[in-house]
Coordinates of all heavy atoms in Angstrom, one line a residue:
M1 N 6.8 30.7 -9.2 CA 6.5 29.8 -10.2 C 5.3 30.3 -11.1 O 4.4 30.8 -10.5 CB 6.1 28.5 -9.5 CG 7.0 27.3 -9.8 SD 6.3 25.8 -9.0 CE 7.7 24.8 -9.2
T2 N 5.4 30.0 -12.3 CA 4.3 30.5 -13.2 C 3.3 29.4 -13.3 O 3.5 28.2 -12.9 CB 4.9 30.8 -14.6 OG1 5.3 29.5 -15.2 CG2 6.0 31.8 -14.6
D3 N 2.1 29.8 -13.8 CA 1.1 28.8 -13.9 C 1.5 27.7 -14.9 O 1.1 26.5 -14.6 CB -0.2 29.5 -14.4 CG -0.9 30.3 -13.4 OD1 -0.6 30.1 -12.2 OD2 -1.7 31.2 -13.8
K4 N 2.2 28.0 -15.9 CA 2.7 27.0 -16.9 C 3.6 26.0 -16.2 O 3.5 24.8 -16.4 CB 3.4 27.7 -18.0 CG 3.7 26.8 -19.2 CD 4.2 27.6 -20.4 CE 4.5 26.7 -21.5 NZ 5.0 27.4 -22.7
T5 N 4.5 26.5 -15.3 CA 5.4 25.6 -14.7 C 4.7 24.6 -13.7 O 5.0 23.5 -13.6 CB 6.5 26.4 -13.9 OG1 7.1 27.2 -14.8 CG2 7.5 25.5 -13.2
I6 N 3.7 25.2 -13.0 CA 2.9 24.4 -12.0 C 2.1 23.4 -12.8 O 2.1 22.2 -12.4 CB 2.0 25.3 -11.2 CG1 2.8 26.2 -10.3 CG2 1.0 24.5 -10.4 CD1 2.0 27.3 -9.6
G7 N 1.6 23.8 -13.9 CA 0.8 22.8 -14.8 C 1.7 21.7 -15.2 O 1.3 20.5 -15.2
W8 N 2.9 22.0 -15.7 CA 3.8 20.9 -16.2 C 4.2 20.0 -15.1 O 4.4 18.8 -15.2 CB 5.0 21.5 -17.0 CG 4.6 21.8 -18.4 CD1 4.5 23.1 -18.9 CD2 4.2 21.0 -19.4 NE1 4.1 23.1 -20.2 CE2 3.9 21.7 -20.5 CE3 4.1 19.6 -19.5 CZ2 3.5 21.2 -21.7 CZ3 3.7 19.0 -20.7 CH2 3.4 19.8 -21.8
S9 N 4.5 20.6 -13.9 CA 4.9 19.8 -12.7 C 3.8 18.8 -12.3 O 4.0 17.7 -12.0 CB 5.2 20.7 -11.5 OG 6.3 21.6 -11.8
F10 N 2.5 19.3 -12.4 CA 1.4 18.5 -12.1 C 1.3 17.3 -13.1 O 1.1 16.2 -12.7 CB 0.1 19.3 -12.1 CG -1.1 18.5 -11.8 CD1 -1.4 18.0 -10.5 CD2 -2.0 18.2 -12.8 CE1 -2.5 17.3 -10.2 CE2 -3.2 17.5 -12.5 CZ -3.4 17.0 -11.2
V11 N 1.4 17.6 -14.4 CA 1.4 16.6 -15.4 C 2.5 15.6 -15.2 O 2.3 14.3 -15.3 CB 1.4 17.2 -16.8 CG1 1.6 16.1 -17.9 CG2 0.2 18.0 -17.1
A12 N 3.7 16.0 -14.9 CA 4.8 15.1 -14.7 C 4.6 14.2 -13.5 O 4.9 13.0 -13.5 CB 6.1 15.9 -14.5
A13 N 4.0 14.8 -12.4 CA 3.7 14.0 -11.2 C 2.6 12.9 -11.5 O 2.7 11.8 -11.1 CB 3.2 14.9 -10.1
L14 N 1.6 13.2 -12.4 CA 0.6 12.3 -12.7 C 1.2 11.1 -13.6 O 0.9 10.0 -13.4 CB -0.5 12.9 -13.5 CG -1.5 13.8 -12.7 CD1 -2.5 14.5 -13.7 CD2 -2.2 13.0 -11.7
I15 N 2.1 11.5 -14.5 CA 2.7 10.5 -15.3 C 3.6 9.6 -14.5 O 3.6 8.4 -14.6 CB 3.5 11.2 -16.5 CG1 2.6 11.8 -17.5 CG2 4.4 10.2 -17.2 CD1 3.2 12.7 -18.5
C16 N 4.4 10.2 -13.6 CA 5.2 9.4 -12.7 C 4.4 8.5 -11.8 O 4.7 7.3 -11.6 CB 6.1 10.3 -11.9 SG 7.3 9.4 -10.8
G17 N 3.3 9.0 -11.3 CA 2.4 8.2 -10.5 C 1.9 7.0 -11.3 O 1.8 5.9 -10.7
A18 N 1.6 7.2 -12.5 CA 1.1 6.0 -13.3 C 2.3 5.1 -13.7 O 2.2 3.9 -13.7 CB 0.4 6.6 -14.6
A19 N 3.4 5.7 -14.1 CA 4.5 4.9 -14.6 C 5.4 4.4 -13.6 O 6.2 3.4 -13.8 CB 5.3 5.8 -15.6
C20 N 5.5 5.0 -12.4 CA 6.4 4.6 -11.4 C 5.9 3.5 -10.5 O 6.5 3.3 -9.4 CB 6.8 5.9 -10.5 SG 7.7 7.1 -11.5
G21 N 4.8 2.9 -10.8 CA 4.4 1.8 -10.0 C 3.6 2.1 -8.8 O 3.8 1.5 -7.8
G22 N 2.9 3.2 -8.8 CA 2.1 3.5 -7.6 C 0.9 2.6 -7.5 O 0.6 1.8 -8.3
G23 N 0.1 2.8 -6.4 CA -1.1 2.0 -6.3 C -0.9 0.6 -5.9 O 0.1 0.2 -5.3
M24 N -1.9 -0.2 -6.2 CA -1.8 -1.6 -5.8 C -0.7 -2.4 -6.4 O -0.3 -3.4 -5.9 CB -3.1 -2.3 -6.1 CG -4.3 -1.9 -5.3 SD -4.3 -2.6 -3.7 CE -4.7 -4.3 -4.2
E25 N -0.2 -1.9 -7.5 CA 0.9 -2.6 -8.2 C 2.3 -2.1 -7.7 O 3.3 -2.5 -8.2 CB 0.8 -2.4 -9.7 CG -0.4 -3.0 -10.3 CD -0.5 -4.5 -10.0 OE1 0.5 -5.2 -10.1 OE2 -1.6 -5.0 -9.6
S26 N 2.3 -1.2 -6.8 CA 3.6 -0.7 -6.3 C 4.3 -1.8 -5.5 O 3.7 -2.7 -5.0 CB 3.4 0.5 -5.3 OG 2.7 0.1 -4.1
Q27 N 5.6 -1.7 -5.4 CA 6.4 -2.7 -4.7 C 6.0 -2.7 -3.2 O 6.0 -3.7 -2.6 CB 7.9 -2.4 -4.8 CG 8.8 -3.5 -4.3 CD 8.5 -4.8 -5.1 OE1 8.5 -4.9 -6.3 NE2 8.3 -5.9 -4.4
A28 N 5.7 -1.5 -2.7 CA 5.3 -1.4 -1.2 C 4.0 -2.3 -1.0 O 3.9 -3.0 0.0 CB 5.0 0.0 -0.8
C29 N 3.1 -2.2 -1.9 CA 1.8 -3.0 -1.7 C 2.1 -4.5 -1.9 O 1.5 -5.3 -1.2 CB 0.7 -2.5 -2.6 SG 0.0 -0.9 -2.1
K30 N 2.9 -4.8 -2.9 CA 3.2 -6.2 -3.2 C 3.9 -6.8 -1.9 O 3.6 -7.9 -1.5 CB 4.1 -6.4 -4.4 CG 3.4 -6.1 -5.7 CD 4.3 -6.2 -6.9 CE 3.6 -5.8 -8.2 NZ 4.5 -5.9 -9.3
D31 N 4.8 -6.0 -1.4 CA 5.5 -6.5 -0.2 C 4.6 -6.6 1.0 O 4.7 -7.6 1.8 CB 6.7 -5.5 0.2 CG 7.8 -5.5 -0.8 OD1 7.9 -6.4 -1.7 OD2 8.7 -4.6 -0.8
Y32 N 3.7 -5.6 1.2 CA 2.8 -5.7 2.3 C 1.9 -6.9 2.2 O 1.7 -7.6 3.2 CB 1.9 -4.4 2.4 CG 0.8 -4.5 3.3 CD1 1.0 -4.6 4.7 CD2 -0.5 -4.7 2.9 CE1 0.0 -4.8 5.6 CE2 -1.6 -4.8 3.8 CZ -1.3 -4.9 5.1 OH -2.4 -5.0 6.0
F33 N 1.3 -7.1 1.1 CA 0.3 -8.3 1.0 C 1.0 -9.6 1.1 O 0.5 -10.6 1.7 CB -0.5 -8.2 -0.3 CG -1.5 -7.0 -0.2 CD1 -1.4 -5.9 -1.0 CD2 -2.5 -7.0 0.8 CE1 -2.3 -4.8 -0.9 CE2 -3.4 -6.0 0.9 CZ -3.3 -4.9 0.0
A34 N 2.3 -9.7 0.6 CA 3.1 -10.9 0.8 C 3.4 -11.1 2.3 O 3.3 -12.2 2.8 CB 4.3 -10.8 0.0
A35 N 3.8 -10.0 3.0 CA 4.1 -10.0 4.4 C 2.9 -10.4 5.3 O 3.0 -11.1 6.3 CB 4.7 -8.7 4.9
V36 N 1.7 -10.0 4.8 CA 0.5 -10.4 5.6 C 0.3 -11.9 5.5 O 0.0 -12.5 6.6 CB -0.8 -9.7 5.0 CG1 -2.0 -10.3 5.5 CG2 -0.8 -8.2 5.3
E37 N 0.5 -12.5 4.4 CA 0.3 -13.9 4.3 C 1.4 -14.7 5.1 O 1.0 -15.6 5.8 CB 0.4 -14.4 2.8 CG -0.9 -14.1 2.0 CD -2.1 -14.6 2.7 OE1 -2.1 -15.8 3.1 OE2 -3.1 -13.9 2.8
T38 N 2.6 -14.2 5.1 CA 3.7 -14.8 5.9 C 3.4 -14.7 7.4 O 3.5 -15.7 8.1 CB 5.0 -14.2 5.5 OG1 5.3 -14.3 4.1 CG2 6.1 -14.8 6.3
C39 N 3.0 -13.5 7.8 CA 2.7 -13.3 9.2 C 1.5 -14.0 9.6 O 1.4 -14.6 10.7 CB 2.5 -11.8 9.4 SG 2.1 -11.4 11.1
A40 N 0.4 -14.1 8.8 CA -0.8 -14.8 9.2 C -0.5 -16.3 9.4 O -1.1 -16.9 10.2 CB -1.9 -14.6 8.1
A41 N 0.4 -16.8 8.6 CA 0.8 -18.2 8.8 C 1.5 -18.5 10.1 O 1.4 -19.6 10.7 CB 1.6 -18.7 7.6
K42 N 2.2 -17.5 10.6 CA 3.0 -17.6 11.8 C 2.2 -17.3 13.1 O 2.4 -17.8 14.2 CB 4.2 -16.7 11.8 CG 5.3 -17.0 10.8 CD 6.4 -15.9 10.9 CE 7.4 -16.1 9.8 NZ 8.4 -15.1 9.9
A43 N 1.2 -16.4 12.9 CA 0.5 -15.9 14.0 C -0.5 -16.9 14.6 O -1.0 -17.8 13.8 CB -0.3 -14.6 13.6
P44 N -0.9 -16.7 15.8 CA -2.0 -17.6 16.4 C -3.3 -17.5 15.6 O -3.5 -16.5 14.9 CB -2.2 -17.0 17.8 CG -1.0 -16.2 18.1 CD -0.5 -15.7 16.8
A45 N -4.0 -18.5 15.6 CA -5.2 -18.7 14.7 C -6.1 -17.4 14.6 O -6.4 -17.0 13.5 CB -6.1 -19.9 15.1
P46 N -6.6 -16.9 15.7 CA -7.5 -15.7 15.5 C -6.8 -14.5 14.9 O -7.4 -13.8 14.1 CB -8.0 -15.4 16.9 CG -7.3 -16.3 17.9 CD -6.5 -17.2 17.1
K47 N -5.6 -14.3 15.3 CA -4.9 -13.2 14.7 C -4.6 -13.3 13.2 O -4.7 -12.4 12.5 CB -3.6 -12.9 15.5 CG -2.9 -11.6 15.1 CD -1.7 -11.3 16.0 CE -1.2 -9.9 15.6 NZ -0.2 -9.5 16.6
G48 N -4.2 -14.5 12.8 CA -4.0 -14.8 11.4 C -5.2 -14.5 10.6 O -5.1 -13.9 9.5
D49 N -6.3 -14.9 11.0 CA -7.6 -14.7 10.3 C -7.9 -13.2 10.3 O -8.3 -12.7 9.2 CB -8.7 -15.4 11.0 CG -8.6 -16.9 10.9 OD1 -7.9 -17.4 10.0 OD2 -9.2 -17.6 11.7
I50 N -7.6 -12.5 11.3 CA -7.9 -11.1 11.4 C -7.0 -10.3 10.4 O -7.4 -9.4 9.7 CB -7.7 -10.5 12.8 CG1 -8.8 -11.0 13.7 CG2 -7.7 -9.0 12.8 CD1 -8.6 -10.8 15.2
L51 N -5.7 -10.7 10.4 CA -4.8 -10.1 9.4 C -5.2 -10.3 8.0 O -5.2 -9.4 7.2 CB -3.4 -10.7 9.6 CG -2.6 -10.2 10.9 CD1 -1.4 -11.1 11.1 CD2 -2.3 -8.8 10.8
R52 N -5.7 -11.5 7.7 CA -6.1 -11.8 6.3 C -7.4 -10.9 6.0 O -7.5 -10.4 4.8 CB -6.4 -13.2 6.1 CG -5.2 -14.1 6.0 CD -5.5 -15.5 5.7 NE -4.3 -16.3 5.7 CZ -3.9 -17.1 6.6 NH1 -4.6 -17.2 7.8 NH2 -2.8 -17.8 6.5
K53 N -8.3 -10.8 6.9 CA -9.5 -10.0 6.7 C -9.2 -8.5 6.5 O -9.7 -7.8 5.7 CB -10.5 -10.2 7.8 CG -11.2 -11.6 7.7 CD -12.1 -11.9 8.9 CE -12.6 -13.3 8.8 NZ -13.5 -13.6 9.9
M54 N -8.2 -8.0 7.3 CA -7.8 -6.6 7.2 C -7.2 -6.4 5.9 O -7.4 -5.3 5.3 CB -6.8 -6.3 8.4 CG -7.5 -6.1 9.7 SD -6.3 -5.9 11.1 CE -5.2 -4.7 10.5
A55 N -6.4 -7.3 5.4 CA -5.7 -7.1 4.1 C -6.8 -7.1 3.0 O -6.7 -6.3 2.0 CB -4.7 -8.3 3.8
A56 N -7.8 -8.0 3.1 CA -8.8 -8.0 2.1 C -9.6 -6.7 2.1 O -9.9 -6.2 1.0 CB -9.8 -9.2 2.3
T57 N -9.9 -6.2 3.3 CA -10.6 -4.9 3.4 C -9.7 -3.8 2.8 O -10.3 -2.9 2.1 CB -10.9 -4.6 4.8 OG1 -11.8 -5.7 5.3 CG2 -11.7 -3.3 5.0
S58 N -8.4 -3.8 3.0 CA -7.5 -2.8 2.5 C -7.6 -2.9 0.9 O -7.6 -1.8 0.3 CB -6.1 -3.0 3.0 OG -6.0 -2.8 4.4
K59 N -7.5 -4.1 0.4 CA -7.5 -4.2 -1.1 C -8.8 -3.6 -1.7 O -8.8 -2.9 -2.7 CB -7.4 -5.7 -1.5 CG -6.1 -6.2 -1.5 CD -6.0 -7.6 -2.0 CE -4.6 -8.2 -1.9 NZ -4.6 -9.6 -2.4
E60 N -9.9 -3.8 -1.0 CA -11.2 -3.3 -1.5 C -11.2 -1.7 -1.4 O -11.6 -1.1 -2.4 CB -12.4 -3.8 -0.6 CG -12.7 -5.2 -0.8 CD -13.8 -5.7 0.1 OE1 -14.4 -4.9 0.8 OE2 -13.9 -6.9 0.3
G61 N -10.7 -1.2 -0.3 CA -10.6 0.3 -0.2 C -9.6 0.9 -1.2 O -9.9 1.9 -1.8
F62 N -8.5 0.2 -1.4 CA -7.5 0.7 -2.3 C -8.0 0.7 -3.8 O -7.6 1.5 -4.6 CB -6.2 -0.1 -2.3 CG -5.4 0.1 -1.0 CD1 -4.5 -0.9 -0.6 CD2 -5.6 1.2 -0.2 CE1 -3.8 -0.8 0.6 CE2 -4.9 1.3 1.0 CZ -4.0 0.4 1.4
A63 N -8.8 -0.3 -4.1 CA -9.4 -0.4 -5.5 C -10.2 0.8 -5.8 O -10.4 1.2 -6.9 CB -10.1 -1.7 -5.6
K64 N -10.8 1.4 -4.7 CA -11.7 2.6 -4.9 C -10.9 3.9 -4.8 O -11.5 4.9 -5.2 CB -12.8 2.6 -3.8 CG -13.7 1.4 -3.9 CD -14.6 1.4 -2.7 CE -15.4 0.1 -2.7 NZ -16.3 0.0 -1.5
N65 N -9.7 3.9 -4.4 CA -8.9 5.1 -4.3 C -8.2 5.5 -5.6 O -7.5 4.7 -6.2 CB -7.8 4.9 -3.2 CG -7.1 6.1 -2.8 OD1 -6.9 7.0 -3.6 ND2 -6.7 6.2 -1.6
S66 N -8.5 6.7 -6.0 CA -8.0 7.1 -7.3 C -6.6 7.7 -7.2 O -6.0 8.2 -8.3 CB -8.9 8.2 -7.9 OG -9.0 9.3 -7.1
N67 N -6.0 7.7 -6.1 CA -4.6 8.3 -5.9 C -3.6 7.2 -5.7 O -3.5 6.7 -4.5 CB -4.7 9.3 -4.7 CG -3.3 10.0 -4.5 OD1 -2.3 9.6 -5.0 ND2 -3.4 11.2 -3.9
P68 N -2.9 6.8 -6.7 CA -2.0 5.7 -6.6 C -0.8 5.9 -5.6 O -0.4 5.0 -4.9 CB -1.4 5.5 -8.0 CG -1.8 6.6 -8.8 CD -2.9 7.3 -8.1
M69 N -0.4 7.2 -5.5 CA 0.7 7.5 -4.5 C 0.2 7.3 -3.1 O 0.9 6.9 -2.2 CB 1.3 8.8 -4.8 CG 1.9 9.0 -6.2 SD 3.1 7.6 -6.6 CE 4.4 7.9 -5.5
A70 N -1.0 7.7 -2.8 CA -1.6 7.6 -1.5 C -1.7 6.1 -1.1 O -1.5 5.7 0.0 CB -3.0 8.3 -1.4
V71 N -2.1 5.3 -2.1 CA -2.3 3.8 -1.8 C -0.9 3.3 -1.5 O -0.7 2.5 -0.5 CB -2.9 3.1 -3.1 CG1 -2.8 1.6 -2.9 CG2 -4.3 3.5 -3.2
S72 N 0.1 3.6 -2.3 CA 1.5 3.1 -2.1 C 2.0 3.5 -0.7 O 2.6 2.7 0.0 CB 2.4 3.7 -3.2 OG 3.7 3.2 -3.0
E73 N 1.8 4.8 -0.3 CA 2.2 5.3 1.0 C 1.5 4.5 2.1 O 2.1 4.3 3.2 CB 2.0 6.8 1.1 CG 3.0 7.6 0.3 CD 4.5 7.3 0.6 OE1 4.8 7.3 1.8 OE2 5.2 7.1 -0.3
S74 N 0.2 4.3 1.9 CA -0.5 3.5 2.9 C 0.0 2.1 3.1 O 0.2 1.6 4.2 CB -2.0 3.4 2.5 OG -2.6 4.7 2.6
C75 N 0.4 1.5 2.0 CA 1.0 0.1 2.1 C 2.3 0.2 2.8 O 2.6 -0.7 3.6 CB 1.2 -0.4 0.7 SG -0.3 -1.0 -0.1
K76 N 3.1 1.2 2.6 CA 4.4 1.4 3.3 C 4.2 1.5 4.8 O 4.9 0.8 5.5 CB 5.1 2.6 2.8 CG 5.8 2.5 1.4 CD 6.5 3.8 1.0 CE 6.9 3.8 -0.4 NZ 7.5 5.0 -0.8
G77 N 3.2 2.3 5.2 CA 2.9 2.4 6.6 C 2.4 1.2 7.2 O 2.9 0.8 8.3
M78 N 1.6 0.5 6.5 CA 1.0 -0.8 7.1 C 2.1 -1.9 7.1 O 2.2 -2.7 8.1 CB -0.2 -1.3 6.3 CG -1.4 -0.4 6.4 SD -2.9 -1.0 5.6 CE -2.4 -1.2 4.0
L79 N 3.0 -1.9 6.2 CA 4.1 -2.8 6.2 C 5.1 -2.6 7.3 O 5.5 -3.5 8.0 CB 4.9 -2.7 4.8 CG 6.1 -3.7 4.7 CD1 5.7 -5.1 4.8 CD2 6.8 -3.4 3.4
T80 N 5.3 -1.3 7.6 CA 6.2 -0.9 8.8 C 5.6 -1.4 10.1 O 6.2 -2.0 10.9 CB 6.4 0.6 8.8 OG1 7.0 1.0 7.6 CG2 7.3 1.0 10.0
S81 N 4.3 -1.2 10.2 CA 3.6 -1.7 11.4 C 3.6 -3.2 11.5 O 3.8 -3.8 12.6 CB 2.1 -1.2 11.4 OG 2.0 0.1 11.5
L82 N 3.4 -3.9 10.4 CA 3.4 -5.3 10.4 C 4.8 -5.9 10.7 O 4.9 -6.9 11.5 CB 2.9 -5.8 9.0 CG 2.6 -7.3 8.9 CD1 1.4 -7.7 9.8 CD2 2.3 -7.6 7.4
Q83 N 5.8 -5.3 10.2 CA 7.1 -5.7 10.5 C 7.5 -5.6 12.0 O 8.4 -6.3 12.5 CB 8.2 -5.0 9.6 CG 8.1 -5.4 8.2 CD 8.9 -4.6 7.2 OE1 9.1 -3.4 7.5 NE2 9.3 -5.1 6.1
A84 N 6.9 -4.6 12.7 CA 7.1 -4.4 14.1 C 6.3 -5.3 15.0 O 6.6 -5.4 16.2 CB 6.8 -3.0 14.4
D85 N 5.4 -6.0 14.4 CA 4.5 -6.9 15.2 C 5.3 -8.2 15.7 O 5.9 -8.9 14.8 CB 3.3 -7.4 14.3 CG 2.3 -8.2 15.1 OD1 2.6 -8.9 16.0 OD2 1.1 -8.0 14.8
P86 N 5.4 -8.4 17.0 CA 6.1 -9.5 17.5 C 5.7 -10.9 17.0 O 6.4 -11.8 16.9 CB 6.0 -9.4 19.0 CG 5.0 -8.4 19.3 CD 4.7 -7.6 18.0
D87 N 4.4 -11.0 16.6 CA 3.9 -12.3 16.1 C 4.3 -12.6 14.7 O 4.2 -13.7 14.2 CB 2.3 -12.4 16.2 CG 1.8 -12.5 17.6 OD1 2.5 -13.1 18.4 OD2 0.7 -12.1 17.9
C88 N 4.9 -11.6 14.0 CA 5.3 -11.7 12.7 C 6.8 -12.0 12.5 O 7.3 -12.1 11.4 CB 4.9 -10.4 11.9 SG 3.1 -10.2 11.8
K89 N 7.5 -12.0 13.6 CA 8.9 -12.2 13.5 C 9.3 -13.6 13.6 O 8.7 -14.5 14.0 CB 9.6 -11.4 14.6 CG 9.4 -9.9 14.4 CD 10.1 -9.1 15.3 CE 9.9 -7.6 15.0 NZ 10.7 -6.7 15.6

């Protein structure tokens, strides 16, 4: 690969990251934060409060993260874990 090809690939990845809905506005993050609220409502009192606090902390951290794809992937991972939680079913 030439330097020019690598450069264009990088630019395309950045554009896609911005246009493809990465970061807090990604579908994965929207789904995760909605699932947290649903699960927190079903979970026993202390766990529901903990889930809400964890989600708030995640939002704060994600707001500081300049990599929208990393934020989206983190949301996907957390959503998978939340969906496996027996208190959320």
Side-chain angles (χ1 to χ4, degrees):
M1 243 183 191
T2 65
D3 288 339
K4 189 174 182 179
T5 304
I6 293 170
W8 280 112
S9 297
F10 180 73
V11 169
L14 286 176
I15 291 170
C16 183
C20 295
M24 290 283 289
E25 296 304 315
S26 68
Q27 191 60 48
C29 286
K30 290 176 183 178
D31 291 347
Y32 168 69
F33 290 113
V36 166
E37 284 306 315
T38 302
C39 181
K42 294 178 185 177
K47 186 171 187 173
D49 293 338
I50 291 168
L51 286 170
R52 286 186 183 98
K53 288 177 185 176
M54 287 173 47
T57 301
S58 295
K59 279 185 182 180
E60 289 174 16
F62 291 160
K64 296 174 187 174
N65 190 327
S66 62
N67 185 339
M69 296 312 292
V71 170
S72 181
E73 289 300 314
S74 293
C75 286
K76 285 180 189 175
M78 292 187 304
L79 180 60
T80 300
S81 296
L82 192 63
Q83 290 170 334
D85 189 322
D87 287 332
C88 296
K89 295 185 179 195

